[in-house]
Structure formats: structure tokens, C-alpha cells
Amino acid sequence: MDRNLNADINRLYRLLGELVPFSIVKKTKFHGWKISDKIIDLPYKWDPKNMPVSFVNEFCFENNSKSESVYLRAWFGGESLVLIDSKPYGEVNVFHKEVNLTPFCDGKKHIIKVQTVPRGLFGTKEESVFKYSDIVIYDTEMRRIVNFTKNVIEAIKENSNEHLTKALINLTDEFLSSIHIPRTTDVYIKTVSENPTIVDQVTSTWSYPDFPIYETVFSQDLKSEVIEKFQEYRENIVNLKKLFPKIGKAFVGGHAHIDYAWLWPIEETKRKIVRTFSNAIQLAKRFPEFVYIQSSAQMYEDIKNEYPEVFEEIKQLVNEGRWEPVGGMWVESDCNVPGIESLIRQFYYGQKFFQKEFGKISKVGWLPDVFGFSWILPQVMKQAGIEYFVTTKLNWNEANDFPYDICRWRGIDGSEVIYYNFKNFEEGYNGRISAKSLINTFENFRQKAITDKFYLSFGYGDGGGGPTEEMCENYYALNDIPGVPKVRYSRTDEFFENLAKDLSNKELPVWDGELYLELHRGTLTSQSKIKMLHKMAEEELRNTEILNALFDGNCQEKIDELWKILLHNEFHDILPGSSIREVYADAERELKYVIDECNNIQKSFFKKDEVITLFNPSSYEQPIVFEFDGKIDLETNSECVKTYNGSYLYYIPEKHLKPVSFETLKIRHSNKDELEDFESIEISDEYTMENEKLKVIIYTDGTVNIFNKTLGKWAFKDRGNILAFYKDIPAYWENWDIDYRSKNSMQILSPTKIELVEKNNLREVVKTTYKFEGTTIEQYYILENWTDELKIETKIDWHHRRSLLKVLFPTTILSRFAKYDIDGGYIERPTHNNTNFEKARFEVLAHRWVDISQYDYGICVLNNGKYGHKVNNSTIEMTLIKAGIYPDFFADEGYHEFTYSIYVHGKEDVKDFYKRSEKLNKKIKVYSGKVKKEPYRLEMSPDNLKILSFRKVGKSFYLRLLETTGSSGNAKIKFIGTQIEKMYLTDILENRIDELPINKNTTTLKLEPFKFYTLEFKQ
């Protein structure tokens, strides 16, 4: 009779279930557990406030036969680390419920300690009850027979070849049906508690018998029968491979995706690391072919600091080629919000750590779960020694499939890496060694004409855990079963070496552009306060390194440690805004610490005197404008006004400060009176501000229009700077997503008050206040006398949930493309929505500016800390607040402060946008006192170069420059104040590429579009 396949499969599972109890030789309670030296009885409820809690016991097991293995089966009340004789050994969680104690069955006494937190793998609260503790002795041969047969049944379930499935069903049914399982009631009742196919069913009734738990039914006679019949069964299964040859070659590596923080804080992550790594080490000891891959130098540094003996075991496995430190990054970071230097440092510190500790760098970029990838990334990876890039995240696209699983990904500068993706419907990068994972991943692979090889990582992840013994046992069974791809353990670098042979004479497709994820668009804005602190920390780290180099300081080691704090906060669930509230409390504290320490280091280069020292950290010349908390009189010709917020603004007319240079200003003692505060004046009609370059009209609805007198052009169609509020309810991922249809709920906000709050000989400031449903927004329109930009300082006290705040700029520009800064250059994107691909990009990345231009003029909006943007037709949109409710219910609640400016310009010149964005973001810094020693000076041309970093490492100096505009040509760099004998061009890992000519401390450099260059020299 032919019948539904599922019925046959279900019957086979139930037949096999009867065999499972006969694989258990003995099962006993494990008594004697102590907490704080007191013996406890189980179940035992413990106090979850003092976590982790520690349970201690001891055991002494004699040598057992080779066919037996001894396990601890226990539940302590949450995720647990198992230590034996004080050394981390394994883990207990919902996916790792048993710990193999067989290696300690040596007749000696051993101390077992278990550290438990009352949480599950995903941060959920667990009942803090130590429920049970058993010692289970398995018959290893019987267990492997059960495992093999289970894998055959799963192959039947996943296979689409009906002829093969019928053959497998018949052979399996014949095998299981032929085994004489004792069926007398007194025996059968003892099997129920260990039969996974019936225990839940028979214990779900109104009432049920007391099924024995500790009475086992193992029989040597039954075992002999099973082994004899299994040999014939297995031989028949293997022989089927002649009729149904294996197709596809799976390269697999054990793996645990451990989010450095997400639904748990970093403190818990460090516990997850040791639990997971210890488990992987034990699997490597038991399974000689086993290979494990793990990214993130930060995690290796954590384990080295906390458990050096575990780290040494990892190093040994790396040396044996059985553990691969993969990825080359400090953490698996976000690749949108971090600036280009931060991305460089992710690889710099990551690869340097790998080289120092493991003797080699990684060639494989490993970012399976990151929310999209900036166009600048290929150049960064290539210079870090990365040849291949693996992600699975684009499988998550909600509207359009990314077209390739293998291609060349070409970056903004033309650098290329091999892009690789695998699509596994069984938990993606948290896969299994199972028929399902292997078969569906191969079936989903779209470029079989190129190769039949594919990679699959396996092991429980996100919350850690990693591979299980069962997965490793599956490896052997699946290689014998037809209809399943051939499987072998492999590091990722080994896989790509094999893949390269297949690709050597193939023409791979090229993807030239960003890798945009059609999901999680809200992560460009969510947790805006952290994004702002991160950006400030980036700026101060850069400033501190430059000062340390210019003053020939010795602070780089301290700065390196501060960089690492910043970098782990760039993890792809921290910086994007998708973690719990506790994570952001830690991140705020750490980022403020980085900023404060940077400022302390900077101040150390100056000594007290009756002067102030100005420093221009920008790559471009700036007019001398700065704010200072107090009123001082300067001997130089300057103007000073008191601002609306109580600080003092200083302007030195007709004087500019060169890039990364200093100006010392003497303070004179004066009896001049303090400047008076300006009395604000409420405005009820349209209000006009004006200087020689601009006319600004502020309307009664709080919006604005700007007239550029030189161009004779208005900025906006009618008015701009429109604040728009949206109800935002994503389909799935609250703090990650902005829904495509949220735009349908747009509500335009109107001010409750407009007032003139500052007017003096330097500038004029109008304040607009919006109050609605508990939220207050204050915007300050600032027009300075010398400028052709309108600056808008914004202060928000936010108290809304599931909502968005955007600002809209409806221009009169006609252009089919807009330019967006991505920090390592710019990207052009369509302003229209002709295709579904374009419609899906309704929120995109920009760093410090966005511009839309036609032939004769354009509008550029610059900002100091916002990342979510879009240009729709002629309207520029910038997202200011994204307030979701999960996993942090209070995301973006509270105070925010940021600034953006509007620039109406003539013919487009991106170089101008970079100069202006740096003037907004890299303002002149003021230090009390004078420099302790004369600094080195740096001159460079042309002015399309941006200084990414300038560092002193030991006795070497490293200057990194970026070509920003997409131009080629020659650059000239001159160092003043030091004598340079030789100069080299290096990669970002400081490996020398070429020696550069040097003449009178000056070198020349050939520039190519959007490339960055690292120069090394010694004094």
C-alpha cells in the first residue's frame, strides 16, 4: 500500500523510540551536592540575586568497559559552567543537557563545580531551582546504532527522490521490525521515561501510572541481536549509494555565534564564552576530525584573561589546524555606523591579536549576522589580508533576493574580495550536522554550475552553546547514507582553498556597490544617544592619537586600550540599537570613559600659562571660531558674544587655522564687565534673519526657507525643515525595523512657541519649541554673520513609544541621483522608485552629509551624528529618533542633542561638503595653557585628502590619508620639525608594500579614487 510519507516516517520514529531505553545500562541519582559547604536536597530553590551560584560535589568512578560511557544529566536552574578539578570542562543548557564524565572514570576522586545563572541562552529568566542530578551510563554501541538509524529516518524526511525514500523506508522498517523488544507490561512500563516518542503523550492524560525512572532494561542478549541485524542493515544502506550516488560536497565547521551583547549584558557574555569554548575543546578531544571556527579577538582576549589554561588549549588546537580564529576583527561589528577608521581598527587590532597569539592572520571575513555592509568594506578587508567574505544576512531581505551566493564584491575604490553566502533553512549559521541542514543548504545553493562545494557552520548560537556530541556523531552516519551530500570537517580557509580550484577558470559575477540589507533599517537610528557618544569617542580617539604623534608622546598603549573599548561597543547588536537596556547603561558608561580619558591625555600635552591654545583637528583649514565656558579677554583682535546657552563664542576675523595645527592666544587681565544675557522676544509673525550671503525666513509653523543671494536661489519648494512624526509598528523586529508602511501615518508637528533668543554682532538665533503628548523639541536656527549655511541645533526630551521622528527638506532640485557620505567616500543612489529594489531602499546610510544637485545648484544637509536618510524625488529626509519597545522598552527615551545645517550651493563640489562637514564635526579645540614642547607640523596637498589617523607606535609614525572625491593625481606630504630618513607605504596591518621617495622631509604619493594610504616613517 502506498500511503502518506509522513505516516511512514512517524512510524519509524516510534519504532526507533522503543530501542532508546535499551541503550541505557544504568541510571542513578547523584547525591551530595553542596552550596556554601552545606549539603542540599533536590529539588533545591536558590536565590537568583547572587549570580552566578556555585554547586560543588565529588565523584569517583572506576574504569568502565570501552562500550560504556558515563554522563551527568542534571538541571541546575539555568545556563551552567561545569568545572572539574577547578578547570572549565563543559556546559549545561537546554541544548547541552548531559556532560560526558567518561574521561574521569579512572578510580580517582574528582571535584565537580557548577556555576549557574538563572537565565536561558537568550537571556530569559529561568526558575532558580536545582531540579535533578543523575548519573547515566550508556552503552556506546547501542547509542550509535540508534543515532545512525535516526539519521536515516531524517534523510527519508528531507529527500525528494521517491525511489530512494521508498528503499530507505523498507530497509529501516525491516530492521526495526525484526528486533524483539520485550513487550511484557512489567518491562515495558520501565521504558516509558526514556522513550522520547511516547513519554509526553502517555503523561498528558488525566491520570497516568508512576513510570519508573531509575529502573533500566538494558539486555546483553538484546544488544547482541541488535548488533547482528544492524550490520546487515547498515551494509544495505551503504550499498544504496551505488544506485543513488551522493551529490554535493559539504565542508562543515563547528561554530557558536556568541553575540557579544544582546538579550544579556557583556558580563554574561564572558560566562557564555568560557562555557561554549570549553564544550568545543572537549568535543575536539573526543572526535579527532572535529574542527571548530570562532571569530572575535575580543572573546579570545577575554578567555585569555579569565581562564588562561583554556586559552592555551585553544592555541594548541589552532596549531593542530583544528580550531580556526576566523574573521580577523575585534568583534563582529556593525558595518554601517562606524567610521572608516573604526572599521580599519576592527581588523587592525583583530588581526594583530591573531598574529601575536596564534601565529597567523585570518583570510576570511566572517560576518554572518551583520545588518548590511558599507561599500568601503572591501578595501578595508583587502588591506587587512582578507581575501574572502562570508555572510548569510542578505538571505533575510524582505523584498528582493540578493542575486548571488558567490561573486566578486567590488568596493568603492575597486578592491575586490570573494563574497560567499550559504542559505540554510535549519537555523542559518546556527546549523546542524543533519540531513535537513545538508540537503536544504545544497539545494538552495544557486551556482552549482560553478562548484558542487558548499560551506555550513553548525552549532547552537546567538546565545552561544555551540555543537553537541549528537551533531558530531551524525557526521559519521551521514557519510554512509545516500541522498545526503558528502560531508567533511573543514576550516573556512581550507574550504576556500578548495573552492578556489573550482573558481580558477570561471568568470565570476561582480557586485559593485554596497550590500544593502532590506531589513533592520531602524538600526541606523535606534539608541541615538549611544550612536552620538560613539561618534564623539571616534573623534576624540583620533584627536588624541594625532596630538600624541605631533608631540612625540608615549601614550599609544593607553589609547589602544581605549580603542578596544570603543570597538567592542560597535558589536552588531550594541551600536545598532538592538540590545537590552542594561547593555546601553554599560555602553554609555564605557563610551563616556573613553571620551574623558582621551581629554585627560590631550590635556597632558599642555602646561599652565596665561594663554589658551587652539588646535584644528580637521583635515582642512578653518576660520577661527570657538566656544569657551568662561569669559576671557584676548590680546589678539577678536570678537566675543555670550550665547543663548550661557557659553561664550569667540571669532577672530580674517584669520584661519591650518589643518592639524595650533594657535596660541595670550590672555590679558581686564576689568571689562561680563556680557549681559539677551532677553528673549516672542515672535508671532514670519521672521527674517539676514547676512551678506543669506536671507532666512522662519514661518509661523516653525519651518524655514533660505535664499542664497549670490545664486539667486531658494532652498525649498515652499518651506523646509518640516518635523514629521510617525507611528512605527514593524511587522517583526521592534527596535531593528522601520516598516515600509509607517509613512502612511505621517503627522506634521507645529510649534507652541517661537522666540528670538540671541542677537548680537556675530549671529542671530531663533528658537522654535514643539510640545506634544509629553515630548518637547527645541530647535535653534543659527545664522552667523560670515556664513552661507543655516545651522539648526536641536534638543529633544522624548517620551513616545513605537514612533519615528523625521525632518523633511522638500527642495526644488531635479536630479535622478543623490550623493551620500559613507565616510570613506560617497555613494550615489537613485532618487526615484522605478524598481522594487529601489522601493526597498526607503531608509539608507549616510554619515555626515547628503546632497542633491542639478547642473546649476544644489542643497546639502550636513549633520553631526545622524545616519538614517533618504532622498525621495527632490525631498531630503533625515531620521532623528526611532523609539521601539523591544528588547529595550525605553529605547531613545529622554534627552537628545544634535546639530545639522543646510547649505545652498552652486555647482556641486563634494570636496566642499567634506570641508563643511569637518567644520561641523571637528571643531577647533581649546586647551588652557601652552604646549609643553614644540609640535611637529604636517602639510599636504591637494586638498582632496582627509587625515584618517596619525599615530606614533614605538619609534615609528603612521599617517593614514584618504582620497575623498573620486580623483586621481599626485599628493605631496611634508613633515616639519623632524628629520625623516626613509618612508614606506604599508597596508593597514603595517606590512610594508613599497618605499616612497623622500626629499627634505617631503614625499610624493600617487593617488587613485577613494583609496586610503598608510605611510610609515621613523625619525
Side-chain angles (χ1 to χ4, degrees), residues 24 64 88 90 226 262 294 475-476 480 496 528 572 576 679 702 751 784 821 823 872 921 958 989:
I24 298 176
N64 50 302
V226 170
W262 179 28
Q294 185 71 54
Y475 172 84
Y476 302 104
D480 285 340
F496 281 111
S528 289
H572 66 258
E679 293 291 333
E784 295 158 330
D821 170 42
D823 200 51
N872 273 315
N921 287 274
Y958 295 92
L989 302 183

Side-chain angles (χ1 to χ4, degrees), residues 717 809-818 820 829-834 838 851-853 870-877:
K717 191 175 292 184
F809 307 96
T811 76
T812 58
I813 306 294
L814 178 63
S815 177
R816 273 72 185 188
F817 291 89
Y820 301 76
R829 301 186 181 103
T831 59
H832 52 72
N833 293 309
N834 290 348
E838 289 155 0
D851 179 79
I852 181 171
S853 294
K870 176 62 178 175
V871 180
N872 273 315
N873 296 315
S874 60
T875 298
I876 301 173
E877 299 178 6

Side-chain angles (χ1 to χ4, degrees), residues 573-604:
D573 275 311
I574 301 179
L575 186 56
S578 49
S579 287
I580 58 173
R581 191 159 187 78
E582 290 85 347
V583 170
Y584 294 107
D586 291 342
E588 182 175 339
R589 174 179 48 80
E590 289 190 335
L591 292 172
K592 284 180 176 177
Y593 171 78
V594 170
I595 294 166
D596 290 344
E597 286 299 297
C598 282
N599 282 317
N600 289 337
I601 294 171
Q602 292 171 34
K603 290 174 186 175
S604 71

Side-chain angles (χ1 to χ4, degrees), residues 73-194:
R73 182 193 291 179
W75 183 252
F76 300 91
E79 272 203 88
S80 301
L81 169 66
V82 178
L83 301 98
I84 296 182
D85 300 332
S86 301
K87 295 180 180 179
Y89 178 72
E91 61 183 329
V92 174
N93 56 51
V94 292
F95 300 123
H96 300 77
K97 294 184 177 180
E98 297 181 336
V99 178
N100 191 332
L101 300 180
T102 310
F104 301 95
C105 295
D106 53 9
K108 298 177 183 178
K109 186 176 79 170
H110 297 281
I111 304 298
I112 181 169
K113 181 178 181 180
V114 178
Q115 296 175 351
T116 303
V117 295
R119 293 289 189 274
L121 283 169
F122 292 89
T124 53
K125 288 185 178 179
E126 294 284 338
E127 186 182 14
S128 55
V129 176
F130 186 169
K131 292 183 177 180
Y132 58 85
S133 171
D134 299 328
I135 296 297
V136 183
I137 301 176
Y138 289 99
D139 185 276
T140 307
E141 293 171 295
M142 287 288 285
R143 213 177 184 201
R144 284 178 178 159
I145 289 170
V146 170
N147 178 269
F148 182 93
T149 310
K150 179 198 61 124
N151 276 283
V152 174
I153 299 171
E154 291 186 356
I156 295 168
K157 186 178 177 181
E158 300 302 324
N159 217 287
S160 58
N161 186 323
E162 62 181 60
H163 302 291
L164 174 58
T165 57
K166 184 175 287 188
L168 291 172
I169 288 170
N170 291 338
L171 287 172
T172 306
D173 195 276
E174 288 170 10
F175 164 58
L176 293 173
S177 297
S178 70
I179 298 170
H180 175 66
I181 300 289
R183 318 199 77 76
T184 59
T185 303
D186 62 334
V187 173
Y188 205 86
I189 198 171
K190 297 176 185 177
T191 69
V192 171
S193 65
E194 294 292 342

Side-chain angles (χ1 to χ4, degrees), residues 16 19-25 64-71 98 100 102 137-153 172 175-176 179 218 223 226-227 229-231 233-234 237 282-283 285-289 468-481 489:
L16 181 62
L19 196 56
V20 172
F22 293 89
S23 66
I24 298 176
V25 177
N64 50 302
S65 70
K66 291 183 180 179
S67 64
E68 292 180 354
S69 51
V70 179
Y71 287 79
E98 297 181 336
N100 191 332
T102 310
I137 301 176
Y138 289 99
D139 185 276
T140 307
E141 293 171 295
M142 287 288 285
R143 213 177 184 201
R144 284 178 178 159
I145 289 170
V146 170
N147 178 269
F148 182 93
T149 310
K150 179 198 61 124
N151 276 283
V152 174
I153 299 171
T172 306
F175 164 58
L176 293 173
I179 298 170
F218 177 79
K223 174 184 174 179
V226 170
I227 289 176
K229 292 178 177 179
F230 175 73
Q231 288 172 346
Y233 167 65
R234 181 182 175 278
I237 293 292
Q282 298 314 313
L283 292 175
K285 290 178 179 178
R286 286 196 284 278
F287 299 95
E289 300 90 348
T468 64
E469 272 195 15
E470 182 183 21
M471 294 177 193
C472 295
E473 291 287 355
N474 292 349
Y475 172 84
Y476 302 104
L478 288 167
N479 268 324
D480 285 340
I481 298 170
Y489 283 113

Side-chain angles (χ1 to χ4, degrees), residues 167-332:
L168 291 172
I169 288 170
N170 291 338
L171 287 172
T172 306
D173 195 276
E174 288 170 10
F175 164 58
L176 293 173
S177 297
S178 70
I179 298 170
H180 175 66
I181 300 289
R183 318 199 77 76
T184 59
T185 303
D186 62 334
V187 173
Y188 205 86
I189 198 171
K190 297 176 185 177
T191 69
V192 171
S193 65
E194 294 292 342
N195 184 337
T197 65
I198 64 171
V199 62
D200 290 339
Q201 184 180 34
V202 300
T203 57
S204 66
T205 56
W206 184 283
S207 64
Y208 53 87
D210 291 327
F211 297 112
I213 296 176
Y214 296 100
E215 295 184 46
T216 55
V217 292
F218 177 79
S219 163
Q220 190 65 48
D221 290 340
L222 179 64
K223 174 184 174 179
S224 298
E225 178 192 351
V226 170
I227 289 176
E228 181 182 347
K229 292 178 177 179
F230 175 73
Q231 288 172 346
E232 181 181 356
Y233 167 65
R234 181 182 175 278
E235 187 176 330
N236 289 333
I237 293 292
V238 172
N239 285 337
L240 280 177
K241 291 195 292 185
K242 298 174 183 176
L243 291 174
F244 305 97
K246 283 179 172 285
I247 301 174
K249 300 181 181 70
F251 291 69
V252 301
H255 172 246
H257 184 75
I258 307 175
D259 287 319
Y260 201 66
W262 179 28
L263 303 176
W264 52 87
I266 290 175
E267 180 185 11
E268 176 61 17
T269 304
K270 292 180 180 181
R271 292 191 282 263
K272 287 178 179 288
I273 292 167
V274 66
R275 292 192 288 255
T276 303
F277 286 15
S278 299
N279 172 68
I281 290 168
Q282 298 314 313
L283 292 175
K285 290 178 179 178
R286 286 196 284 278
F287 299 95
E289 300 90 348
F290 178 79
V291 169
Y292 187 76
I293 67 170
Q294 185 71 54
S295 70
S296 305
Q298 172 72 76
M299 294 189 188
Y300 290 103
E301 184 174 79
D302 290 339
I303 203 77
K304 180 183 179 184
N305 292 337
E306 297 290 329
Y307 293 96
E309 67 275 25
V310 175
F311 185 68
E312 289 303 315
E313 288 189 278
I314 291 170
K315 289 179 72 172
Q316 181 59 38
L317 288 170
V318 172
N319 289 338
E320 294 171 9
R322 301 181 57 217
W323 185 301
E324 181 186 14
V326 72
M329 300 180 76
W330 194 248
V331 296
E332 291 182 22

Side-chain angles (χ1 to χ4, degrees), residues 507-571:
E507 189 69 30
L508 282 182
V510 174
W511 184 267
D512 193 343
E514 64 187 331
L515 296 178
Y516 179 86
L517 176 65
E518 295 177 2
L519 203 69
H520 296 356
R521 302 169 184 88
T523 59
L524 297 174
T525 306
S526 188
Q527 299 287 0
S528 289
K529 187 174 184 179
I530 295 301
K531 288 179 169 64
M532 179 62 79
L533 283 170
H534 167 266
K535 181 254 175 187
M536 292 166 62
E538 285 183 309
E539 297 284 8
E540 293 307 332
L541 282 166
R542 176 184 178 274
N543 294 344
T544 308
E545 284 188 328
I546 290 175
L547 290 176
N548 186 61
L550 292 176
F551 288 115
D552 198 14
N554 293 297
C555 302
Q556 190 58 48
E557 285 188 11
K558 171 66 174 176
I559 299 169
D560 287 340
E561 293 309 307
L562 296 175
W563 261 111
K564 291 172 185 177
I565 295 172
L566 176 88
L567 295 180
H568 77 231
N569 280 293
E570 292 178 350
F571 179 75

Side-chain angles (χ1 to χ4, degrees), residues 638-660:
S638 63
E639 297 182 51
C640 173
V641 298
K642 192 172 186 179
T643 69
Y644 74 88
N645 61 12
S647 66
Y648 293 86
L649 180 69
Y650 295 84
Y651 174 56
I652 300 179
E654 300 178 1
K655 194 164 186 179
H656 289 73
L657 198 52
K658 291 182 178 181
V660 292

